[in-house]
Amino acid sequence: MFLDRDGTINVPAAAGDYVRSPDELVLLPGAAAAIRRLNRAGLRTVLVTNQRWLSMPGADRAAFVATQDRLVELLAAEGARLDAAYHCPHAHRSCLCRKPAPGMLWRAADELAIDLTRSVIVGDAVSDVQAGRAAGTGTILLGAGARSPLADAVRPDLPSAVDALIPHRAAQRRQHLEEPHACGRQERF
């Protein structure tokens, strides 16, 4: 499971700005509980976030690290965790990791042995959906009234996306365990 950060897990900054300090990071209602449900369901939860402001003159990298640490603390206080976090600090159209490019997802798949065809990205921007499509994952776009012909599903927020995903994932797991395997052994996910 891949999750965007700003607008998916925490309250986003005003349009055109970024969450740049720990004091600015506020979790969205139900986000930590939704991530805790993903954790308890055994789904690896990986953050993938664009942070273009880090490429701007005077950017405070220590503030970004402190903000990420604050996110971890806030989630932990509610019994939730991220299994890994990736960020793109590059300027627009200057790399392959910045969403809508799939680089962060490819890197996570390589480093964490994630099967992208069995994964989903959840985010509040069309660029999240585009990155998921390019990487071969399922896609869920968040937002009340959001629309995208590219998204596999649209949900108002992370808790409702998790509500849809966990029963679906459990059914997939049951089906997989019932299928005969060529090697005669059942895999754990």
Side-chain angles (χ1 to χ4, degrees), residues 9-29:
I9 297 173
N10 60 277
V11 176
D17 202 0
Y18 293 88
V19 175
R20 298 174 192 240
S21 74
D23 295 339
E24 296 173 358
L25 192 119
V26 176
L27 294 180
L28 285 165

Side-chain angles (χ1 to χ4, degrees), residues 24-84:
E24 296 173 358
L25 192 119
V26 176
L27 294 180
L28 285 165
I35 294 170
R36 184 177 61 238
R37 287 184 60 211
L38 293 171
N39 299 151
R40 288 181 178 165
L43 297 174
R44 204 177 295 164
T45 307
V46 178
L47 181 77
V48 287
T49 180
N50 288 344
Q51 295 294 320
R52 181 173 61 113
W53 69 274
L54 290 169
S55 69
M56 298 175 184
D60 184 354
R61 189 154 187 75
F64 170 74
V65 171
T67 302
Q68 286 294 98
D69 290 346
R70 179 70 177 148
L71 175 62
V72 169
E73 290 170 9
L74 291 172
L75 292 174
E78 295 196 42
R81 74 175 187 295
L82 298 170
D83 295 302

Side-chain angles (χ1 to χ4, degrees), residues 1-3 42-48 81-87 103-116 118-120 169 188-189:
M1 172 71 54
F2 293 99
L3 300 175
L43 297 174
R44 204 177 295 164
T45 307
V46 178
L47 181 77
V48 287
R81 74 175 187 295
L82 298 170
D83 295 302
Y86 294 84
H87 72 281
M104 284 187 281
L105 284 73
W106 287 343
R107 182 175 171 202
D110 183 53
E111 292 177 358
L112 304 172
I114 293 172
D115 180 351
L116 290 171
R118 298 177 65 87
S119 297
V120 175
R169 184 63 173 188
R188 287 189 65 212
F189 295 103

Side-chain angles (χ1 to χ4, degrees), residues 75-188:
L75 292 174
E78 295 196 42
R81 74 175 187 295
L82 298 170
D83 295 302
Y86 294 84
H87 72 281
C88 172
H90 305 117
H92 188 61
R93 295 187 179 152
S94 66
C95 66
L96 289 176
C97 62
R98 182 178 171 74
K99 298 177 286 177
M104 284 187 281
L105 284 73
W106 287 343
R107 182 175 171 202
D110 183 53
E111 292 177 358
L112 304 172
I114 293 172
D115 180 351
L116 290 171
T117 65
R118 298 177 65 87
S119 297
V120 175
I121 186 169
V122 179
D124 67 323
V126 172
S127 61
D128 299 314
V129 172
Q130 292 168 322
R133 283 281 179 229
T137 72
T139 60
I140 297 179
L141 179 64
L142 300 182
R147 288 190 182 3
S148 171
L150 296 176
D152 293 314
V154 176
R155 296 287 185 265
D157 53 26
L158 183 57
S160 64
V162 170
D163 287 345
L165 284 170
I166 288 183
H168 174 72
R169 184 63 173 188
Q172 272 186 328
R173 205 176 269 179
R174 279 192 304 277
Q175 179 185 6
H176 181 74
L177 293 174
E178 292 167 1
E179 293 173 357
H181 298 318
C183 65
R185 106 181 168 180
Q186 293 182 338
E187 296 178 33
R188 287 189 65 212

